[in-house]
Amino acid sequence: MLSASRSISRHCRPLRAISSSLSLLENNSSSFTAIEGGGCHRRKRILTTPFNTTSSPHYASCRVQSTISFDAAAYFSNSPSSSSTSPSAEQQTNPATITSSNNISLEHQFTRQQAEDQIQQWIKKNPLIAPYKAEECLAKLWVEQQQIFDKWTSQSPSSSSPPILITPNTVNLCISAWCYSKKGQIAAERAQRLLNWMENLHAPTSSSQFASLLPRPNYQSYALAIDAWSQAAVIESSKGSAATTSTSKIIPDATRVGFNCAKRAEDLLMRMQAKHEELQRLGRYNSELQPDTNVFNKVLMGWSHIRGGTKASAIRAMRILDLMQELHHHQSRDVPSWQGIGLSKVQPNLHTYKCVIYAWGHASHTLEGPDRAEEILRHMLSISKAGNNFGMEVLPDEECFHIVMKSHAELVRRRGRGDISNAERAQQVTDLLNWMELLAVRRTKPKIAPTTESYRLALSAWAWSHHIDAPKQVEEILFRMVRACELNRNQMRDIQNEGLNSKDIITLAVTPETKDFNTVINCCSFARGVGVPKDELDDDIKLAQQLALTETYDVAEGVLDALLSFPYASPDSATFAGIIRACVNLLPDTDERDVRVIELFRLAYQSPNTAAKSSVIPERLQAPAGGGCVDANVLRQLRYALPTEEYIRVREEFEEHRRKNSK
């Protein structure tokens, strides 16, 4: 425990060092009192700024007291030691040592390139500790830069400008280290603090004569800081209970924090755009500072991927899309070029629209989200077909369809049984599946074709609807899935026989699995009571309902037969538990039903169990050795289905079979 505490304290020292330097620069004062917290320790320090060389006549002595003091040789070595993060007692108190340190020649100081290479190594080796070490490295370079400026002003310069140790790329590496650290809001705050520090270096109130040589924020600086806030929105919203309260009307605190982080990313984007417009208005156009599609997409990623997103976050994402379209229209029509430089750097692409679709599809606290997502999907197809997106491909891919289909299916699941609009939502998912199959026939480029996930979402939507027509609908979708699988395999077989080029190879995009067949069987087994009125029924209505239930059972039994004959999947214990449940729920309680249940149970323990042992399910609930596809759930359904005497007889028969086959 003692060594772990020392390790935590050692890694937190860089945070205290650079925090001191940046806070001092922002306050523009010669000294201040700060409380820095790191790990398990909180320490009050009196810090003195090394930045304003003209504010105090005792600057040389003030710099002696600064907490930013390093052993450069140890710090930039391949294995930095703990001594690199704090000065020795002799260095802090002995003026002779300080004087000799100020007289070190520039040839013996570590170069900027070595510092940047070291930061990149830290990011690759340990992203969690890298930003603290990178900030400490930056603070060390800043102290050395101040020493160079002091020496330059005290001597007659031999060249036009002193050497510069810190460039925008150096600071951007520190910001990038925070982006890779995945520390959420903390990382975003520190990244923007570094960005603000660079901006303050060139503020009108800056009195440094070397201000024009100091690092100035560029496109990469703003893009990294915006990316840090977008990541913080996703990370912070994933904390707490944001995912478990999606059905509640109360917005979790984690979602609110994520919303604020996404807003900070949007504010930073607006600041970048305003700075670019100001430079353009002053006649100092700088294309490096102009926001492009990539920066806008980073902000959209923050709004769209907030866990437990709301209607407000989807509306903000929609406004970003509208702003991109407006900027693109202005840049490409009104101002096509400026001194031969193309200005149209903002144009919505596939990723842009996909983020907005995702935002509406995951707006869990509104019922209009899936419909708005589908509207955007149809808009993408219309502008792609019309070809009026100025060469940018926005044809939706399979993922766009899946986002919309999943949003409809999730809304059906949340509403539950009894909602009359569930069938309409499920039909919308089926219509999107039909649309994908139609686009696959048209051979669009890039090709859009339904995948296994496409059919699976349609199956789930109808199964969750609990509609009276759900068994027939899921049966039809499943057999469409089987036909698509056979078509893909036949095409692959023809390609292999004809020896066509590799570009003509067709992947197995659709492959039904056992769980897809089980979805249909379970949908049929829970169809009892669907559409039954509450009042008294006469004999004719009861007979009609019993015939409908028998027809539903025939659907489930037909799916079982299809699974037994399907060469690419085999039944498991869940299959037989579902079919026995369907037999009990859908057929009348007669001797014929008992005989059918016994036949299904015998088929279960005679079928080989191809499922692997699960590490999550307890072993006592899994299928025993020699028992085929019979597990605890199948035995439970058997006990509900048969009378006691019949159950004991069949169970003894099963145990005898298991003992013979387990040897």
Side-chain angles (χ1 to χ4, degrees):
M1 291 296 293
L2 182 59
S3 61
S5 178
R6 290 175 178 173
S7 176
I8 294 175
S9 179
R10 181 171 67 252
H11 290 315
C12 291
R13 289 170 186 164
L15 174 61
R16 292 195 290 268
I18 190 62
S19 176
S20 305
S21 60
L22 294 178
S23 298
L24 289 166
L25 179 61
E26 294 167 356
N27 294 334
N28 195 19
S29 59
S30 59
S31 62
F32 78 116
T33 303
I35 299 178
E36 295 291 335
C40 303
H41 307 281
R42 291 183 62 85
R43 183 179 303 172
K44 186 173 182 180
R45 291 185 167 185
I46 305 297
L47 305 175
T48 306
T49 176
F51 301 119
N52 296 332
T53 58
T54 61
S55 61
S56 175
H58 306 288
Y59 171 69
S61 61
C62 287
R63 186 159 50 212
V64 173
Q65 301 172 7
S66 173
T67 58
I68 307 177
S69 179
F70 302 91
D71 181 2
Y75 190 83
F76 283 102
S77 62
N78 292 329
S79 58
S81 61
S82 60
S83 62
S84 64
T85 60
S86 62
S88 62
E90 182 181 359
Q91 288 176 331
Q92 292 183 352
T93 58
N94 190 356
T97 305
I98 298 163
T99 304
S100 61
S101 174
N102 291 336
N103 293 331
I104 296 177
S105 61
L106 295 178
E107 290 79 3
H108 292 76
Q109 295 184 4
F110 287 88
T111 62
R112 177 184 68 251
Q113 186 62 39
Q114 289 175 308
E116 294 176 357
D117 293 342
Q118 183 65 72
I119 294 175
Q120 292 177 351
Q121 292 180 11
W122 286 330
I123 295 175
K124 293 179 180 179
K125 291 181 179 179
N126 194 342
L128 298 178
I129 307 299
Y132 301 105
K133 291 181 172 292
E135 284 194 344
E136 183 182 7
C137 175
L138 180 63
K140 178 257 179 186
L141 289 176
W142 177 254
V143 172
E144 291 188 356
Q145 185 68 71
Q146 292 297 314
Q147 294 175 354
I148 293 175
F149 288 160
D150 293 345
K151 189 173 182 179
W152 192 263
T153 55
S154 63
Q155 299 177 358
S156 57
S158 58
S159 61
S160 59
S161 61
I164 301 300
L165 298 181
I166 301 179
T167 64
N169 184 45
T170 310
V171 186
N172 291 344
L173 282 174
C174 297
I175 301 177
S176 177
W178 281 114
C179 293
Y180 282 102
S181 66
K182 306 296 182 182
K183 293 183 179 294
Q185 190 174 3
I186 297 176
E189 291 281 2
R190 306 291 295 190
Q192 184 162 355
R193 196 174 182 183
L194 289 168
L195 177 64
N196 296 340
W197 174 66
M198 283 196 292
E199 289 182 339
N200 293 337
L201 291 177
H202 301 274
T205 57
S206 178
S207 59
S208 176
Q209 59 177 328
F210 303 105
S212 61
L213 303 177
L214 296 177
R216 185 186 300 271
N218 54 16
Y219 165 84
Q220 191 71 9
S221 309
Y222 285 97
L224 289 171
I226 291 173
D227 188 26
W229 279 114
S230 298
Q231 293 183 26
V234 181
I235 295 173
E236 296 296 334
S237 63
S238 301
K239 298 178 180 178
S241 57
T244 59
T245 59
S246 59
T247 58
S248 174
K249 294 183 179 180
I250 301 176
I251 300 177
D253 293 337
T255 302
R256 297 179 185 274
V257 175
F259 187 94
N260 293 331
C261 292
K263 189 175 183 302
R264 295 286 295 272
E266 182 179 337
D267 293 341
L268 195 56
L269 172 63
M270 296 300 105
R271 194 167 96 189
M272 182 181 180
Q273 177 67 22
K275 190 176 288 294
H276 161 68
E277 293 177 355
E278 181 182 0
L279 293 176
Q280 187 175 358
R281 185 170 57 253
L282 296 175
R284 295 180 296 170
Y285 175 73
N286 184 8
S287 61
E288 286 292 329
L289 207 58
Q290 181 180 5
D292 59 358
T293 304
N294 181 44
V295 179
F296 279 89
N297 287 346
K298 290 181 184 296
V299 179
L300 284 174
M301 284 289 292
W303 284 121
S304 61
H305 287 74
I306 294 178
R307 194 72 175 269
T310 62
K311 182 179 179 179
S313 60
I315 291 176
R316 299 298 286 263
M318 197 70 184
R319 288 178 180 177
I320 296 295
L321 175 60
D322 294 339
L323 177 60
M324 294 180 67
Q325 292 175 339
E326 182 180 353
L327 287 174
H328 175 67
H329 177 77
H330 171 72
Q331 294 173 359
S332 59
R333 299 283 181 89
D334 299 340
V335 190
S337 63
W338 186 86
Q339 293 186 357
I341 302 175
L343 298 179
S344 180
K345 299 182 68 174
V346 180
Q347 184 176 4
N349 55 16
L350 175 60
H351 184 63
T352 306
Y353 286 100
K354 189 180 297 184
C355 287
V356 181
I357 291 175
Y358 195 93
W360 279 113
H362 290 76
S364 58
H365 297 276
T366 178
L367 299 179
E368 62 178 311
D371 295 330
R372 296 293 298 273
E374 186 171 345
E375 289 177 4
I376 299 172
L377 177 66
R378 295 181 181 276
H379 175 69
M380 293 175 64
L381 284 164
S382 62
I383 61 177
S384 176
K385 183 179 180 180
N388 56 355
N389 202 44
F390 301 97
M392 182 66 68
E393 182 58 57
V394 293
L395 181 66
D397 55 4
E398 290 86 354
E399 186 179 359
C400 294
F401 280 90
H402 291 169
I403 294 172
V404 180
M405 295 169 70
K406 187 176 181 180
S407 64
H408 283 298
E410 283 293 327
L411 187 57
V412 172
R413 182 184 65 84
R414 291 201 302 268
R415 287 181 171 181
R417 179 182 298 184
D419 198 309
I420 59 176
S421 62
N422 282 346
E424 298 177 359
R425 291 284 177 184
Q427 186 59 46
Q428 286 180 279
V429 179
T430 306
D431 293 341
L432 290 171
L433 177 62
N434 298 338
W435 199 358
M436 294 183 70
E437 290 181 339
L438 181 61
L439 291 174
V441 174
R442 291 180 177 179
R443 300 183 181 275
T444 58
K445 292 184 179 181
K447 184 178 180 181
I448 300 176
T451 63
T452 303
E453 184 68 16
S454 309
Y455 291 98
R456 195 165 289 163
L457 288 170
L459 287 174
S460 301
W462 277 108
W464 288 333
S465 69
H466 297 285
H467 193 262
I468 190 172
D469 294 332
K472 295 181 180 179
Q473 293 289 339
V474 293
E475 180 191 24
E476 179 186 354
I477 294 172
L478 176 65
F479 287 127
R480 284 167 58 182
M481 189 178 185
V482 173
R483 288 194 297 269
C485 175
E486 294 176 352
L487 179 61
N488 282 352
R489 292 184 181 274
N490 291 336
Q491 290 177 346
M492 288 190 62
R493 193 179 302 110
D494 294 340
I495 289 175
Q496 293 176 356
N497 295 335
E498 296 176 6
L500 299 181
N501 297 330
S502 58
K503 65 179 181 180
D504 297 321
I505 294 179
I506 300 176
T507 58
L508 294 177
V510 181
T511 303
E513 300 179 5
T514 303
K515 61 181 179 181
D516 301 315
F517 291 86
N518 293 346
T519 299
V520 181
I521 294 175
N522 289 328
C523 179
C524 296
S525 66
F526 290 108
R528 183 185 64 177
V530 174
V532 177
K534 300 297 182 182
D535 54 351
E536 294 294 332
L537 304 177
D538 55 20
D539 294 339
D540 293 337
I541 296 179
K542 289 183 178 180
L543 179 59
Q545 287 185 347
Q546 186 56 57
L547 292 176
L549 293 177
T550 304
E551 185 178 354
T552 302
Y553 175 76
D554 293 339
V555 171
E557 197 169 39
V559 171
L560 175 62
D561 295 338
L563 177 58
L564 292 173
S565 61
F566 191 62
Y568 310 113
S570 58
D572 57 6
S573 57
T575 307
F576 291 101
I579 194 63
I580 293 176
R581 185 190 303 112
C583 186
V584 174
N585 292 343
L586 302 176
L587 298 181
D589 189 4
T590 61
D591 293 339
E592 294 181 359
R593 190 188 76 174
D594 295 342
V595 172
R596 186 164 298 185
V597 168
I598 294 174
E599 291 177 354
L600 292 172
F601 181 71
R602 288 173 179 170
L603 180 62
Y605 66 71
Q606 291 174 1
S607 300
N609 184 16
T610 58
K613 287 288 184 179
S614 175
S615 59
V616 179
I617 303 175
E619 187 175 358
R620 61 184 179 84
L621 300 179
Q622 300 185 38
C629 294
V630 176
D631 61 356
N633 193 18
V634 176
L635 294 175
R636 188 181 302 110
Q637 297 298 329
L638 180 68
R639 182 67 186 89
Y640 294 154
L642 297 177
T644 304
E645 296 179 358
E646 288 292 326
Y647 171 75
I648 294 175
R649 183 180 63 83
V650 174
R651 181 67 185 271
E652 290 177 350
E653 180 182 338
F654 163 69
E655 293 296 337
E656 183 179 357
H657 176 274
R658 186 177 66 84
R659 285 193 296 268
K660 290 181 180 179
N661 291 272
S662 61
K663 297 179 181 179

